[in-house]
Amino acid sequence: QVQLVESGGGLVQAGGSLRLSCAASGRTFSSYAGVWFRQVPGKEREFVAHIGWSGGRISYADSVKGRFTISRDNAKNTVSLQMNSLKPEDTAVYYCGARGGRSYDYTYSSAGAYEYWGQGTQVTVSS
């Protein structure tokens, strides 16, 4: 079992920045791929960014490319999401997810590929 806890959400003006963190506990997180999704009421959870267990296989949704950066620190069991140039359409609850194992035979952007999820952190971008 892996427990994930997100932090760093909040209210920011358009053009501003936030850094989300996902702290993992329970097992050695270095063997887990990490992912960020986001969700707004009434819509499905949307893929944001993926990072492989070793820090490679980084992938972003087109909507955040060039603005968001995903990273991980396996020594600290954390996955982070640096969000710059925020837009009102980035407003959502952001969820951290994880998938165990070192293979990459799954679809990064599919929420069903991930076994563990945090409780989410709200990000609100005002115009």
Side-chain angles (χ1 to χ4, degrees), residues 16-40:
S17 298
L18 282 175
R19 185 177 181 85
L20 305 183
S21 290
C22 175
S25 62
R27 284 200 173 180
T28 304
F29 194 55
S30 59
S31 296
Y32 288 76
V35 72
W36 288 94
F37 274 69
R38 63 188 182 187
Q39 189 170 24
V40 297

Side-chain angles (χ1 to χ4, degrees), residues 2-6 22-25 29 77 96-98 116-120:
V2 171
Q3 292 80 43
L4 303 173
V5 178
E6 301 96 335
C22 175
S25 62
F29 194 55
N77 283 353
C96 172
Y116 305 102
W117 293 96
Q119 82 291 347

Side-chain angles (χ1 to χ4, degrees), residues 75-91:
K76 296 182 178 179
N77 283 353
T78 59
V79 173
S80 299
L81 186 69
Q82 178 66 42
M83 305 187 296
N84 299 328
S85 302
L86 282 161
K87 305 175 180 179
E89 51 263 43
D90 294 319
T91 296

Side-chain angles (χ1 to χ4, degrees), residues 26-109:
R27 284 200 173 180
T28 304
F29 194 55
S30 59
S31 296
Y32 288 76
V35 72
W36 288 94
F37 274 69
R38 63 188 182 187
Q39 189 170 24
V40 297
K43 291 192 175 182
E44 291 188 355
R45 199 166 286 194
E46 175 191 27
F47 170 74
V48 175
H50 169 277
I51 188 166
W53 61 271
S54 63
R57 300 294 181 113
I58 290 177
S59 179
Y60 297 99
D62 287 343
S63 59
V64 307
K65 277 181 184 175
R67 301 188 298 122
F68 290 11
T69 302
I70 190 170
S71 61
R72 67 186 299 155
D73 185 338
N74 285 340
K76 296 182 178 179
N77 283 353
T78 59
V79 173
S80 299
L81 186 69
Q82 178 66 42
M83 305 187 296
N84 299 328
S85 302
L86 282 161
K87 305 175 180 179
E89 51 263 43
D90 294 319
T91 296
V93 177
Y94 283 70
Y95 295 91
C96 172
R99 174 188 172 96
R102 297 189 173 189
S103 70
Y104 290 106
D105 58 346
Y106 59 94
T107 302
Y108 301 162
S109 59

